[in-house]
Amino acid sequence: MAQLDALRTGVSGARAAEIDQGLRAHMNKVYGTMSVGMLITFAAAWALSGLAVTSDPTGATAQISADRYLTDLGYALYASPLKWVVMFAPLAFVFGFSAMINKMSAATAQLVFYAFAAVMGISISSIFLVFTGTSIAQTFLVTSIAFAGLSLWGYTTKKDLSAMGTFLIMGVIGLIVAMVVNLFIQSGPLGMAISALGVLIFAGLTAYDTQQIKTEYIAHAVHGDQEWLGKSAIMGALRLYLDFINMFMFLLQFMGNRE
């Protein structure tokens, strides 16, 4: 890509090789941190859903299927006004994290990212109440394959994807607005349209973000900005993590079998 070639202009062969080696280590850290975050999210979601549902009607607060009942914890999380806090907590968390990361050390930023992953797990734990475990696993596998292919393409392509960034971000804003509206009108066709557009938008963001992470690393490595490099892998992991989670959640609307 011409943009990356321009960044390397004037860099010696030895220095360029050092940057390339650092880039590989950087991307490994990005994907590794993201993977740990995903593990925390789904472990938290699965564990919490197990505490929220019981097959024993004694002391249960609400029935959700023929042989499943909400515990007091489940009712608080999914049926009381607290559900709105649970639903929007990750959004508030990620905005706060992005605003404060420049004041954090790399180690603190990593811990905060893992805390965010746990909060996201709490927020999406209801999927284990709504969809079968098999369909969740199948959707996760399909999302993983799609994500890997899109991220690999974003990393290796010579095409500059920066032009699509603004369009995709505008699409995300439009999605959020449409999702909030649909919380109140509960339109099935609008919900399916949102899911379809969500899959496409976050598929594009996966490739775009991967290329941006690569480009930004090279730009800062050329200038030796070590302080930035220490925290950039965490922010890169956050970006790809959000792409994966959103693509998974939107795909689940199509592929998930409901309980």
Side-chain angles (χ1 to χ4, degrees):
M1 190 172 67
Q3 185 179 4
L4 295 182
D5 293 339
L7 289 172
R8 288 190 174 96
T9 301
V11 177
S12 66
R15 177 60 177 153
E18 181 182 345
I19 290 174
D20 288 340
Q21 183 178 2
L23 174 61
R24 288 191 291 272
H26 179 75
M27 295 304 297
N28 286 337
K29 184 175 181 180
V30 168
Y31 290 122
T33 302
M34 172 197 161
S35 297
V36 173
M38 295 298 304
L39 179 62
I40 291 172
T41 294
F42 283 95
W46 177 79
L48 186 62
S49 65
L51 295 173
V53 176
T54 180
S55 59
D56 183 5
T58 305
T61 55
Q63 185 174 6
I64 57 175
S65 65
D67 58 350
R68 295 198 307 164
Y69 304 84
L70 288 180
T71 63
D72 290 339
L73 175 63
Y75 185 85
L77 291 176
Y78 309 130
S80 75
L82 183 62
K83 68 181 181 181
W84 299 107
V85 177
V86 173
M87 184 182 302
F88 291 107
L91 188 62
F93 203 120
V94 75
F95 281 129
F97 182 32
S98 299
M100 296 296 293
I101 191 170
N102 289 331
K103 299 179 181 180
M104 301 177 187
S105 66
T108 300
Q110 188 166 15
L111 289 175
V112 173
F113 170 70
Y114 292 150
F116 165 72
V119 171
M120 180 64 81
I122 294 171
S123 181
I124 70 170
S125 60
S126 60
I127 64 173
F128 288 97
L129 279 66
V130 177
F131 300 98
T132 64
T134 300
S135 67
I136 291 173
Q138 290 174 342
T139 305
F140 183 86
L141 178 61
V142 170
T143 306
S144 299
I145 294 171
F147 177 89
L150 290 162
S151 189
L152 179 62
W153 180 70
Y155 185 83
T156 58
T157 184
K158 299 297 182 182
K159 182 180 180 180
D160 187 354
L161 303 180
S162 58
M164 61 190 287
T166 302
F167 173 77
L168 291 170
I169 296 302
M170 290 176 61
V172 170
I173 295 172
L175 270 181
I176 293 173
V177 173
M179 290 169 67
V180 171
V181 170
N182 205 38
L183 282 175
F184 297 98
I185 66 175
Q186 295 292 311
S187 168
L190 177 58
M192 295 304 291
I194 290 171
S195 296
L197 289 173
V199 171
L200 294 175
I201 288 172
F202 284 100
L205 277 172
T206 297
Y208 168 78
D209 283 336
T210 301
Q211 187 178 86
Q212 287 298 108
I213 293 168
K214 177 182 178 181
T215 303
E216 289 167 4
Y217 175 86
I218 293 175
H220 286 82
V222 166
H223 297 94
D225 190 351
Q226 295 301 318
E227 182 179 357
W228 181 90
L229 294 176
K231 290 182 284 189
S232 61
I234 310 301
M235 288 305 297
L238 175 63
R239 290 164 69 175
L240 293 182
Y241 168 94
L242 290 172
D243 294 339
F244 186 102
I245 283 289
N246 281 286
M247 189 158 52
F248 166 80
M249 293 298 291
F250 285 123
L251 275 174
L252 192 60
Q253 301 303 313
F254 293 106
M255 300 181 61
N257 294 322
R258 296 180 179 270
E259 292 279 13

